[in-house]
């Protein structure tokens, strides 16, 4: 269908593309066959933003890109097992817009807007709501980090930190860089996937001037690696910025070993190293995207040994009450003995592995 192509111009600047985003059910009905009443109801609770670029890559109703972008009636289903903030981000926030969960690193939410409002977003309760993060709030966050000598890494997140202007980004990064105990900078952004035009040569150069700086992006389906997105990854990788992907395991999008293998291989080809595969958090309004953990483990088993080890992410669940993230692994050890392990390899073949006499 490529409906968005109707008004999407490749040469427009990112701000202009963003400004032409569709935010209402009625607006969307001009391009996609949706149920206006349902979408309108959902949008009243959770904002929608589909920019012309992402609209242009949706191929058909309910395809993996549609599912990530177009509001679904299932978002309104109230599930008592789901919460608005299951990870207790709010209580672990010492100052506004900052989460300090692990001793050595903080998440600093410098933007409350995104290039698209993903229907599966775990911060659904807050993204796209309200005004931009104020300068005063940013100042407070930086002050907090300056006073916490154990903080060695600052992760810029949001919303999407790349939705703020180059000038503001430069200002924030330079002030963080001047704090002696901040050794590492990390940026979490979906822009290279949802609005690749944001990645200009200027932006790549700006980010590269703050090395060591890592950029983690979120690609959830191979069809998102369009020529424009691949070009964005190339600019960033050429600037020497290590790229990682934090893919979210989503029902009807990528909960299929074949799709996931293709995605991980395509990411590697674009110099993006799969980092995490996130099990969908139990967030209200996202229940229709959740798969079973068994499914996730089956996918992990299908990856290990069958694609480059560099393309195998860690499969993570985020614990409630701010317990942090832990990896889940398929069970390769079948039996543990005093001198031997019975293990299964990636092809399901059993092996005895001699333990010998370790020195511990
Ligand atoms: C995920 C997360 C981090 C980063 O964790 P890594 O395992 O280093 O990627 C840091 N702080 C919070 C609050 C997080 O949720
Ligand atoms: S880009 Fe990230 S923060 Fe923004 S809506 Fe999507 S998942 Fe949420």
């Amino acid at each position: 269908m490529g409906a968005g192509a109707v008004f999407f111009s490749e040469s427009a600047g990112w701000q202009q593309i963003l400004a032409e985003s569709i935010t209402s059910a009625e607006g969307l009905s001009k391009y996609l066959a949706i149920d206006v009443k349902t979408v309108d109801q959902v949008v009243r609770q959770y904002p929608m933003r589909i920019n012309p670029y992402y609209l242009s890559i949706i191929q058909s109703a309910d395809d993996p890109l549609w599912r990530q972008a177009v509001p679904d009636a299932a978002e309104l289903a109230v599930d008592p097992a789901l919460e608005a903030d299951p990870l207790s981000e709010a209580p672990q926030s010492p100052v506004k817009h900052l989460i300090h969960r692990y001793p050595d690193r903080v998440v600093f939410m410098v933007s409350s807007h995104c290039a698209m409002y993903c229907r599966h977003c775990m911060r659904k309760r807050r993204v796209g709501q309200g005004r931009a993060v104020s300068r005063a709030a940013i100042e407070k966050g930086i002050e907090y980090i300056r006073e916490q000598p154990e903080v060695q890494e600052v992760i810029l997140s949001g919303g999407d930190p790349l939705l703020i202007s180059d000038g503001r980004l430069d200002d924030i990064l330079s002030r963080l860089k001047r704090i002696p105990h901040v050794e590492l900078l990390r940026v979490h952004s979906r822009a290279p996937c949802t609005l690749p035009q944001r990645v200009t040569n200027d932006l790549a150069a700006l980010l590269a001037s703050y090395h060591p700086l890592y950029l983690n992006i979120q690609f959830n389906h191979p069809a998102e690696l369009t020529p424009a997105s691949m070009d964005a990854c190339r600019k960033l990788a050429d600037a020497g910025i290590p790229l990682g992907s934090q893919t979210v395991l989503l029902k009807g999008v990528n909960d299929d070993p074949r799709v996931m293998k293709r995605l991980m291989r395509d990411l590697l080809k674009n110099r993006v190293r799969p980092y995490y595969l996130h099990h969908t958090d139990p967030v209200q309004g996202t229940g229709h995207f959740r798969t079973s953990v068994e499914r996730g483990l089956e996918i992990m088993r299908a990856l290990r040994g069958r694609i480059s080890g560099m393309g195998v992410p860690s499969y993570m669940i985020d614990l409630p009450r701010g317990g942090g993230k832990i990896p889940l692994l398929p069970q390769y050890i079948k039996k543990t003995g005093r001198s031997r392990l019975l293990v299964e390899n990636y092809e399901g073949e059993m092996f005895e592995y001699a333990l010998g006499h370790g020195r511990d």
Side-chain angles (χ1 to χ4, degrees):
M1 188 159 49
V6 181
F7 70 116
F8 170 57
S9 151
E10 289 284 349
S11 59
W14 68 274
Q15 289 98 336
Q16 194 195 329
I17 298 172
L18 197 61
E20 287 170 3
S21 293
I22 294 165
T23 55
S24 74
E26 209 195 304
L28 188 59
S29 69
K30 291 189 192 129
Y31 302 98
L32 300 180
I34 52 159
D35 180 55
V36 177
K37 210 169 138 215
T38 306
V39 171
D40 189 53
Q41 256 179 333
V42 179
V43 170
R44 278 166 207 277
Q45 185 153 350
Y46 302 113
M48 163 174 80
R49 176 182 275 168
I50 306 179
N51 68 60
Y53 163 75
Y54 204 86
L55 180 64
S56 79
I57 65 173
I58 294 175
Q59 294 299 317
S60 58
D62 227 27
D63 77 7
L65 310 181
W66 171 300
R67 288 178 66 84
Q68 292 180 69
V70 178
D72 189 303
E75 293 175 46
L76 297 174
V78 176
D79 181 340
L82 305 180
E83 299 170 46
D85 178 20
L87 312 176
S88 306
E89 289 193 330
Q92 290 187 337
S93 181
V95 292
K96 226 174 154 191
H97 304 295
L98 191 142
I99 313 167
H100 196 172
R101 172 176 299 156
Y102 296 105
D104 72 323
R105 53 209 193 277
V106 296
V107 169
F108 191 13
M109 296 173 284
V110 297
S111 158
S112 51
H113 296 270
C114 303
M116 166 167 113
Y117 294 125
C118 310
R119 307 325 297 172
H120 56 271
C121 181
M122 61 120 153
R123 298 209 179 110
K124 208 167 167 119
R125 70 183 191 283
R126 52 188 304 277
V127 293
Q129 320 262 15
R131 284 180 296 155
V133 180
S134 70
R135 271 167 204 279
I138 300 238
E139 194 49 58
K140 282 223 173 74
I142 293 173
E143 218 165 277
Y144 175 83
I145 294 164
R146 204 181 284 129
E147 287 162 5
Q148 308 289 319
E150 76 275 21
V151 174
Q152 294 172 356
E153 179 180 5
V154 178
I155 303 166
L156 297 189
S157 178
D160 196 318
L162 295 187
L163 271 211
I164 60 180
S165 69
D166 287 5
R168 280 197 81 186
L169 199 57
D170 194 23
D171 179 55
I172 294 170
L173 289 170
S174 67
R175 283 195 288 158
L176 290 171
K177 187 85 189 163
R178 265 184 258 132
I179 302 173
H181 54 265
V182 174
E183 298 174 358
L184 271 187
L185 295 168
R186 196 192 319 179
V187 175
H188 279 182
S189 167
R190 238 205 134 176
C193 171
T194 53
L195 183 65
Q197 296 77 8
R198 172 64 184 102
V199 183
T200 57
N201 289 326
D202 283 352
L203 178 71
L206 187 159
L207 294 173
S209 67
Y210 292 103
H211 279 318
L213 181 146
Y214 287 71
L215 180 60
N216 277 2
I217 53 199
Q218 183 196 134
F219 282 97
N220 297 328
H221 192 274
E224 291 176 330
L225 283 153
T226 62
S229 263
M230 293 194 285
D231 196 47
C233 294
R234 183 192 52 75
K235 280 181 196 162
L236 294 162
D238 282 353
I241 297 161
L243 301 174
S245 178
Q246 303 203 174
T247 298
V248 185
L249 177 59
L250 300 168
K251 188 185 275 177
V253 174
N254 58 19
D255 61 333
D256 173 335
R258 274 172 313 167
V259 172
M260 203 63 93
K261 265 192 239 172
R262 183 74 267 155
L263 175 61
M264 299 303 153
R265 284 196 176 122
D266 288 350
L267 287 169
L268 284 183
K269 270 169 34 191
N270 286 284
R271 290 181 280 172
V272 181
R273 177 101 194 251
Y275 174 56
Y276 282 165
L277 173 63
H278 292 283
H279 190 70
T280 312
D281 295 314
V283 172
Q284 199 64 260
T286 66
H288 56 300
F289 283 113
R290 296 193 92 203
T291 63
S292 63
V293 163
E294 288 74 36
R295 186 75 179 146
L297 290 171
E298 185 191 325
I299 289 171
M300 289 305 293
R301 200 180 265 287
L303 295 178
R304 176 62 67 195
R306 309 217 175 248
I307 64 166
S308 165
M310 292 190 299
V312 182
S314 299
Y315 176 38
M316 308 298 281
I317 55 171
D318 214 331
L319 302 176
R321 294 182 288 111
K325 295 180 192 71
I326 58 157
L328 299 181
L329 274 170
Q331 189 53 264
Y332 292 102
I333 300 180
K334 294 296 164 185
K335 221 169 168 181
T336 319
R338 266 148 82 93
S339 58
R340 283 170 200 288
L341 289 180
L342 186 64
V343 296
E344 188 181 1
N345 80 349
Y346 72 102
E347 291 171 305
E349 211 180 325
M350 303 299 277
F351 291 83
E352 271 194 1
Y353 186 83
L355 292 172
H357 299 285
R359 279 162 198 260
D360 56 351

